[in-house]
């Protein structure tokens, strides 16, 4: 089982209400996503070397509890629904046993040169199989 | 009809793909939301002076086209569904006639001191009526 | 005389002390710098099309008064010392008649392809003359 | 000897030149400063509980080499000159053996309630002694 990404809330990330500002959660999701691709597959850089980009086409987050300066949070990134055209990823942000937030991002598979959608199963079968295996294992969909 | 908030994409907001990073859209939504409250009602500061906070409890964005450095974007903020417990706001980001992104934020009405939910209709009837009128006028729900 | 760049302090830019976080000032300087190059010369984009980058190699800021959410600030960008290898720019952030902060950035002239320093006077005489004229006029050096 | 703070460059921190944007360095300095106060003294939170704030009144950074997405950087924070009115802190950002950037921040000692300067030696002798010892030990001044 993959380890969560640990985030220490930065002072610059707080707002005048004394909470971590909500836009930072998308940045933390991205940090967890980077770790997800590093640990389970290949880094973003290698994806791009394959000529495939996976731009984010949608993001959402629900905020249950505020997070505060200097708290340590754990961010889990789990693969969800996968199709040849796109991948869903799910996120859980926790502070010890408290659920702070949950989120989802949707990613399209796109050719780097043309910036057109690609069918990942045809274009990069090894990536497709790897992601399919991970999505099946996570059960997050 | 309220004017959109104009955003000039900052260099710091770009990422190495050459696009405005997706987390910034939530910050732009917030700038449009500030203008919405300034123009149509009262500023955030006055809300808080009334003892009512409206923390964001959910946010989402769909990204249709990338935005680039130094482009000027227009962000519209429209009220959507309203209940005594919460308010939905909708956003449209456009560059001239091109739709760049759409989003939504959900806000709860909360007492500043206790941080507990409040019934806005009872607690602040004038705010309630104002928001109800705006929500009805926008038709965004 | 060039107009200052107007900045509205964003909620996301505040910190839990209730002030605009100090790192944002560098971003505001950059917004003013963009306007400086747009109005007086050519945009960053055109600079890069000429094969010349002007990366920032040093930055500094002194903070005199805090800035707060939703305040409107004016940021002036003035050219300072100019040599064939580098350009200094100065910044003043004001809120009405109050001086909020002052800063400086130092920029090197670099070839886009090789990322090596270039002598701007030789490489792009028209840019050199334009900047020299502006630096002389501003008297900020 | 205190360990450096480790920073993984986030995608959101890159800019369209492909480098970590320069404003982020001030945020990384702050993360290292937090660790400095955590490990060697007391957290920011405890400082504030003592009624003393240490707002940043100046910051500077020199950039020697660009940093890139997903690189791991080490940020050292060392105390520099100390007086009853202010503290200087120095920073070094390295990637393995390469010096990426150096910086400095200047902090004033301020009373939380009045926001007026305080003489740290008189107001909080234990903090003063601790910082004096650290400043002497670091030799960074």
């Amino acid at each position: 089982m993959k380890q969560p990404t640990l985030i220490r809330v930065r002072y610059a990330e707080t707002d005048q209400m004394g909470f971590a500002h909500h836009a930072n959660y998308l940045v933390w999701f991205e940090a967890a996503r980077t770790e997800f691709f590093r640990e389970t597959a290949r880094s973003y850089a290698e994806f791009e070397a394959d000529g495939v980009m996976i731009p984010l086409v949608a993001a959402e987050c629900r905020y249950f509890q505020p997070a505060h300066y200097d708290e340590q949070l754990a961010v889990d990134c789990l693969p969800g629904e996968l199709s040849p055209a796109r991948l869903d990823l799910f996120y859980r942000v926790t502070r010890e046993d408290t659920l702070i937030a949950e989120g989802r991002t949707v990613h399209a598979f796109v050719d780097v040169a043309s910036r057109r959608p690609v069918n990942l199963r045809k274009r990069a079968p090894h990536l497709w199989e790897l992601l399919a295996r991970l999505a099946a294992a996570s059960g997050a969909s």
Side-chain angles (χ1 to χ4, degrees), chain A:
Chain A
M1 189 58 200
K2 201 177 71 60
Q3 292 301 305
T5 298
L6 300 181
I7 296 285
R8 177 76 69 175
V9 179
R10 298 173 174 179
Y11 203 91
E13 293 174 331
T14 62
D15 63 24
Q16 68 178 39
M17 224 184 285
F19 305 151
H21 187 266
H22 63 273
N24 296 303
Y25 289 67
L26 298 194
V27 177
W28 302 339
F29 290 173
E30 190 169 63
R33 193 158 65 240
T34 295
E35 291 299 320
F36 169 77
F37 282 113
R38 186 199 322 285
E39 294 195 5
T40 59
R42 34 175 66 209
S43 74
Y44 265 32
E46 288 169 331
F47 251 120
E48 293 184 15
D50 257 22
V52 178
M53 289 197 311
I54 49 167
L56 184 152
V57 296
E60 61 188 50
C61 187
R62 284 176 297 149
Y63 306 88
F64 303 120
Q65 294 290 335
H68 307 88
Y69 169 55
D70 206 28
E71 287 178 349
Q72 188 169 273
L73 308 177
V75 187
D76 282 291
C77 173
L78 294 172
E81 206 171 333
L82 174 70
S83 80
R86 67 175 237 190
L87 170 67
D88 282 17
L89 295 169
F90 290 94
Y91 307 86
R92 282 171 55 87
V93 181
T94 50
R95 182 184 55 230
E96 294 169 2
D97 293 337
T98 304
L99 180 61
I100 299 295
E102 281 183 341
R104 185 173 70 110
T105 56
V106 181
H107 301 265
F109 302 117
V110 172
D111 180 72
V112 167
S114 68
R115 306 248 154 141
R116 306 283 304 167
V118 299
N119 179 316
L120 190 73
R121 184 155 47 185
K122 292 183 180 166
R123 170 66 176 271
H126 55 295
L127 284 182
W128 166 261
E129 279 158 32
L130 177 60
L131 289 172
R133 210 156 49 229
L134 292 168
S138 91
S141 62

